[in-house]
Amino acid sequence: MKHYFVFAAIVGAVSISACQSNVSSNKSSATRSAALFSQADNSVISFPALSRRKWDSPLIVDLDLDGFQDLLVTEHGQAASIYWNNNGTFSEPVVVIRGDTHGASAADYDGDGKVELVISQGGGAGTNPRLPKVFEIDGQRNISKGKTFDHFEKGRGRAVKYVDVDNNGDLDMVLSGFPMKSQKQGANHLYKNDGNGNFEFVGHLPQAKWLGYRVLVTDFNNDYDSDLIFYGGADLTAVQGSKGFDFTNVTASSFGELRNISDISSITEIDFDNDGDQDLFLTRAKHQFKPQTFLDQELKTFAFFGRFKPFAFDDLQIQGDLILENLQMAYPSYDVFVGANKTQLAQGADRGAERNYTISQSEAKGWPEQRAEKGLYIGYLGNDMWRIAIDTNSTTAAVVHNVLNTPSTITQQELPAYLLENKGGKFVDVTQSLNVTVGGQSTSATTGDFNNDGWQDLLIVPYGNMANTQHPILLLNQQGKQFNQDNTHGLYAGELGVTGGSIENFDYDSDGDLDIIYSHERGKWHLFENSTNKLASKERNFIIVDVNTSPKHKVSSIAASVEVQACDKSIVRRVGATSSPFSQGENTKLHFGLGSCNKVDSVNVVWSNLERQSINNVSINTLTKIGN
C-alpha cells in the first residue's frame, strides 16, 4: 500500500554522562525461600471491591509528568479511571470518562508539555457508531473535559496506537475497529500528525480476517521503522514500515504458514535469547460469543456463560437454598426472574457489577411456562432439583454453589500458545523446543526479567475454569535455552466466575524489580509486589533506564530502542512495548536484569526520529536518566 512520505535525516550520535540515582534494592544473602510475588494491600492501592467486566490491559504512563508511572484501568461499560502514583502509593480512582470505552493511548503528541489521552469508544454493536475522544492532562492533574476528533470516521472503535510512521518525531495514530457493513475497506485507519498535533487521514491499513482488529506495534526487522501486526481472527497480517508512509504487506514472507495461526488473543514481543531482535509470544483464546459451562466437583460449583441466544443447561441438584455468586449481566438485559410466577429479584443501584443471591426453594417454586421477557430464569422443580435458563441480548454469567449432581459441561477447544523466534525478520516456531507448554486457552501475557537474572521471562493469564479460582503461569527463562514453569510465584485471584483477562508489569515502587498488575474478565484488579530484591542473593543486579524526550528535538520516547551492553551481553527493550491488543502506554522506565554482572559498559538509545545518545560506564542497581 503506497502513500506519500516524509524523510527524516539521522541525527548524529551523542555521547554524554548521565544522571544516575541509587535505587533501594534491599538485597540479602538469603536464597529464595518464599513466593516471588505478594499482593499489595489497600494502603498501596484501593481497587473497587466489586467484580466487573474489563476491557484490555491497564495503561502504564506518567500522566502528570512527575516521574512516577500512573495507571489507567477500564471497567467495560462503566468507566475508565486514573490512579495517580504518589511515589509508590496510589490515589483513589479519578473517573476520566464513563460508558462503553475500549482502547486507550497516552503521550504528548503536540509537544506542549501536557499528555494527551486518547480513548476509543464502542459503537453499540453498530447501532451507535462513535468517535475517539481526547483528554489533555497537565502537571497539576487537571483533566480537560475532552473533545472528539470530529473529522475522523465514526465506527465501533477498538485499538488506539501511537506510531511515528515517517520518523520525523511526530506521533501519528493507528486506529482499528470492528468493521461495520458500511466500511467496505475496513476499519483500520492511519492518521498523520501535521507537527502541531492535528491529525490528517492518510489511508486504510490492511486487514486480517474477521475479528482481526487487535494490533501489535513492533519492529521485527530492526530498522527503527515501526511495523504492525493485525490479528485476532482466523489469521494474522503483518505490514512492514519503510520510509515515509509506505507499508508493505510481508505476511507470507515473514510468517509463512504461521500466518494461519487463529484466535490470537495477544502478542508479546520478547527477546528471549538476547540476540537483539524481537521474538513473539502468542496467546490464544476464543471470543466469548458461544455458551460455556464449567464444573468443579471438589468445590461443588457450576458456572455458566451465555450471550445473544437462549440457553438452558442440565437441571442442578442442590440441597437447600440456591446460592448464586458473581452474577454479571450487561445492557440491556439485567432482569432475574424466579419461580413459576416470575418474581423479579431486586437489582440494586449498580446493575453492571457483580450480584450475589441466596434463593430459597419456596421463593423459586415452579417453572414459568411463558418466558417472553429477556432475562435470567431460575426455578425450583422439587426433590432438590433446580432449573436455570438464559435468554438475554448481552453477556450473562454466574457461579452456582453446592451442586451435588454432575451436569454436562462444554469442553473448551485446545488453543496452545506459540513462541516464535525472529531470524532476520522471518519467524520460526520454537514452542516445543524451548519447553513452552501452555495448553488450553490463554488471553494475555507480559514479559520482563522477573528474577533479575539477565533473561526475559513470561507471565501468562490462562482462560481457566469459571467454577474455580485462577492464577497466572510463570515461565522462567533458562538463559535462552528453554523455559521452566514456576508454580510457587504467589500470584492468584480469589474470585469465582471469571475467565482470563489481562496483565502488565512495571516497577511501581522503584525498588529495582518488576511488579505485576492484572485482572480477570468479570473479576477485580490486583497489584502484586515483586520480592526479588528481598529474597534473592547478591547475584541479582539490575539497571533502570529512564528514557526522556530526545536531546535535540525533544521527540517523545515512544518506540525509542534502548540497548544495554554489559558483560558481553546485549539486551534490547523498546519504550511502549506492550502485549495489549488495544492500548499503548508510555512506561519510560525500562528495567534490565543483569544477574551476576556487576558492570554496564554502555546504554545506547535511538529515538523514533533516529536521534541517538550513548552513556558509558553506568553504575549497576541505579536509575539512569537519558535524553532531554
Side-chain angles (χ1 to χ4, degrees):
M1 175 158 112
K2 298 293 184 182
H3 302 293
Y4 61 93
F5 62 88
V6 178
F7 179 79
I10 297 177
V11 179
V14 181
S15 180
I16 66 169
S17 61
C19 174
Q20 299 179 16
S21 61
N22 291 326
V23 177
S24 174
S25 60
N26 298 318
K27 291 185 180 298
S28 72
S29 59
T31 57
R32 178 180 165 192
S33 59
L36 187 61
F37 297 98
S38 59
Q39 187 153 356
D41 59 32
N42 286 340
S43 66
V44 175
I45 193 165
S46 182
F47 289 122
L50 296 176
S51 294
R52 289 184 181 278
R53 294 185 302 144
K54 301 290 185 281
W55 183 275
D56 204 15
S57 303
L59 201 69
I60 298 173
V61 57
D62 183 3
L63 290 166
D64 56 357
L65 302 179
D66 66 349
F68 300 102
Q69 303 300 315
D70 307 304
L71 294 172
L72 179 102
V73 301
T74 300
E75 311 272 56
H76 193 197
Q78 173 70 10
S81 303
I82 294 172
Y83 290 81
W84 302 109
N85 187 339
N86 298 312
N87 194 11
T89 62
F90 292 86
S91 71
E92 292 295 314
V94 176
V95 174
V96 178
I97 184 174
R98 295 190 181 276
D100 183 20
T101 63
H102 293 160
S105 286
D108 179 11
Y109 63 59
D110 57 6
D112 65 351
K114 301 175 184 177
V115 172
E116 282 76 42
L117 172 62
V118 179
I119 297 178
S120 179
Q121 300 190 92
T127 63
N128 181 31
R130 294 191 294 169
L131 297 164
K133 203 163 188 177
V134 59
F135 301 84
E136 190 169 67
I137 303 169
D138 66 22
Q140 287 72 49
R141 300 180 175 177
N142 297 309
I143 305 170
S144 71
K145 292 182 178 180
K147 61 180 181 180
T148 55
F149 293 96
D150 291 334
H151 61 294
F152 283 24
E153 183 177 61
K154 289 184 178 181
R156 299 176 65 182
R158 291 299 186 265
V160 182
K161 305 272 184 170
Y162 289 132
V163 186
D164 182 6
V165 176
D166 53 0
N167 299 110
N168 70 346
D170 300 322
L171 292 175
D172 309 301
M173 194 184 300
V174 171
L175 300 179
S176 78
F178 194 123
M180 300 186 299
K181 292 181 179 180
S182 60
Q183 295 175 307
K184 302 301 183 183
Q185 292 182 273
N188 297 338
H189 298 158
L190 176 62
Y191 289 87
K192 170 183 165 52
N193 187 333
D194 69 357
N196 297 310
N198 303 306
F199 291 94
E200 305 167 358
F201 179 67
V202 175
H204 293 84
L205 291 165
Q207 301 179 79
K209 291 181 179 178
W210 187 66
L211 299 177
Y213 43 63
R214 299 172 185 244
V215 186
L216 174 74
V217 180
T218 185
D219 182 12
F220 47 68
N221 61 344
N222 275 352
D223 64 351
Y224 304 113
D225 282 305
S226 291
D227 309 311
L228 304 173
I229 300 176
F230 297 95
Y231 63 95
D235 65 353
L236 62 81
T237 295
V239 293
Q240 182 175 299
S242 58
K243 301 306 176 185
F245 280 80
D246 284 359
F247 280 98
T248 303
N249 191 325
V250 295
T251 309
S253 60
S254 291
F255 287 90
E257 291 302 313
L258 296 172
R259 68 185 184 274
N260 295 316
I261 297 175
S262 67
D263 303 294
I264 302 171
S265 51
S266 76
I267 302 179
T268 306
E269 60 175 44
I270 170 175
D271 184 8
F272 73 83
D273 48 5
N274 285 343
D275 66 351
D277 54 22
Q278 297 303 321
D279 313 300
L280 300 176
F281 180 74
L282 283 56
T283 60
R284 302 171 66 211
K286 285 289 185 182
H287 293 259
Q288 291 186 325
F289 291 150
K290 296 182 178 180
Q292 299 175 6
T293 51
F294 302 85
L295 179 69
D296 189 298
Q297 289 183 291
E298 183 177 349
L299 293 179
K300 299 180 181 178
T301 49
F302 177 81
F304 60 85
F305 171 91
R307 190 177 186 181
F308 298 140
K309 295 181 179 180
F311 174 48
F313 35 83
D314 294 351
D315 293 341
L316 306 176
Q317 182 184 5
I318 301 168
Q319 286 184 349
D321 297 339
L322 184 145
I323 300 174
L324 199 64
E325 180 177 348
N326 196 11
L327 170 64
Q328 292 197 42
M329 306 175 76
Y331 179 84
S333 303
Y334 295 102
D335 294 331
V336 181
F337 304 99
V338 298
N341 295 328
K342 296 184 289 187
T343 302
Q344 192 167 335
L345 295 184
Q347 297 178 5
D350 195 349
R351 298 187 301 174
E354 66 171 289
R355 289 183 271 165
N356 302 296
Y357 294 107
T358 298
I359 305 169
S360 69
Q361 295 176 353
S362 59
E363 287 178 290
K365 186 177 180 180
W367 184 253
E369 294 183 5
Q370 301 295 327
R371 299 183 299 279
E373 301 91 343
K374 294 292 183 182
L376 177 68
Y377 288 85
I378 301 172
Y380 177 62
L381 309 179
N383 297 320
D384 293 334
M385 298 304 295
W386 293 74
R387 181 170 295 166
I388 302 176
I390 302 168
D391 187 2
T392 60
N393 289 328
S394 55
T395 58
T396 301
V399 177
V400 183
H401 284 268
N402 302 323
V403 175
L404 301 179
N405 62 338
T406 309
S408 60
T409 57
I410 300 171
T411 302
Q412 299 299 300
Q413 181 181 347
E414 279 287 319
L415 293 172
Y418 279 84
L419 179 62
L420 307 182
E421 182 178 359
N422 187 341
K423 293 191 173 182
K426 300 182 186 299
F427 291 91
V428 297
D429 182 6
V430 294
T431 308
Q432 297 301 318
S433 62
L434 268 75
N435 194 35
V436 179
T437 53
V438 182
Q441 298 184 20
S442 51
T443 58
S444 183
T446 188
T447 184
D449 187 356
F450 300 120
N451 56 3
N452 282 355
D453 68 347
W455 300 88
Q456 283 190 283
D457 311 305
L458 281 165
L459 264 169
I460 303 142
V461 181
Y463 188 85
N465 178 347
M466 282 179 60
N468 204 335
T469 55
Q470 312 287 338
H471 58 83
I473 298 169
L474 173 59
L475 298 181
L476 293 177
N477 190 337
Q478 307 300 305
Q479 299 184 359
K481 299 175 183 177
Q482 69 173 38
F483 288 83
N484 289 344
Q485 186 167 332
D486 184 325
N487 295 319
T488 62
H489 50 69
L491 294 164
Y492 68 94
E495 307 98 273
L496 294 176
V498 302
T499 50
S502 63
I503 190 166
E504 279 284 9
N505 71 77
F506 69 130
D507 185 6
Y508 81 85
D509 50 4
S510 302
D511 67 347
D513 48 27
L514 291 172
D515 309 303
I516 299 298
I517 177 172
Y518 87 104
S519 70
H520 288 97
E521 173 62 2
R522 298 182 302 278
K524 302 173 184 178
W525 292 101
H526 300 272
L527 179 65
F528 280 81
E529 180 183 355
N530 190 326
S531 300
T532 289
N533 283 328
K534 298 175 183 177
L535 301 173
S537 72
K538 62 182 179 181
E539 303 299 311
R540 301 294 184 181
N541 296 314
F542 64 89
I543 182 175
I544 298 171
V545 181
D546 188 3
V547 185
N548 297 318
T549 55
S550 66
K552 184 176 180 180
H553 295 289
K554 299 183 179 180
V555 167
S556 167
S557 62
I558 282 186
S561 176
V562 181
E563 177 192 36
V564 170
Q565 293 185 338
C567 298
D568 298 321
K569 285 197 300 186
S570 176
I571 310 174
V572 177
R573 306 278 190 273
R574 291 192 321 115
V575 176
T578 176
S579 65
S580 167
F582 305 110
S583 302
Q584 182 182 41
E586 189 183 11
N587 184 354
T588 61
K589 294 182 178 179
L590 299 187
H591 170 274
F592 297 80
L594 299 173
S596 60
C597 180
N598 57 14
K599 179 184 177 183
V600 175
D601 299 315
S602 65
V603 175
N604 308 294
V605 180
V606 182
W607 281 264
S608 68
N609 69 336
L610 306 183
E611 282 187 70
R612 299 170 185 263
Q613 187 171 322
S614 297
I615 306 168
N616 298 320
N617 300 319
V618 180
S619 300
I620 62 170
N621 301 329
T622 60
L623 182 148
T624 297
K625 294 184 178 181
I626 190 166
N628 194 290

